[in-house]
């Protein structure tokens, strides 16, 4: 059930991001467009590759914080 809810909510969020990104593209707002693309990539990672994305963020945090973590 949890996976299904995340999948539906993530897809709705991605659709909203795409619609807003089209608006930013039409207005030539490049910074906002790039921000939406980056947010979309992160959301897609959490929705479609949850374990891989979690592992990537743990590795990044360990490199930044300099500690051995989970």
């Amino acid at each position: 059930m949890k996976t299904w809810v995340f999948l539906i909510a993530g897809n709705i969020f991605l659709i909203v991001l795409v619609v807003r990104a089209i608006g930013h593209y039409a207005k030539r707002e490049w910074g906002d467009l790039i921000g939406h693309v980056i947010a979309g990539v992160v959301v897609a990672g959490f929705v479609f590759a949850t374990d891989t994305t979690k592992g990537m963020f743990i590795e990044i945090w360990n490199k930044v914080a300099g500690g051995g973590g989970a």
Side-chain angles (χ1 to χ4, degrees):
M1 182 72 168
K2 178 182 171 184
T3 305
W4 184 78
V5 170
F6 280 139
L7 184 64
I8 298 298
N11 283 330
I12 290 171
F13 190 70
L14 287 173
I15 290 168
V16 170
L17 283 175
V18 167
V19 169
R20 290 187 52 134
I22 291 170
H24 290 307
Y25 177 76
K27 293 179 185 176
R28 306 266 192 242
E29 297 172 342
W30 304 117
D32 290 336
L33 176 63
I34 291 170
H36 275 79
V37 168
I38 292 170
V41 168
V42 171
V43 169
F46 277 115
V47 171
F48 299 113
T50 307
D51 294 331
T52 305
T53 305
K54 180 181 173 185
M56 180 188 69
F57 278 119
I58 289 171
E59 289 297 320
I60 290 171
W61 179 255
N62 288 337
K63 288 184 190 288
V64 170

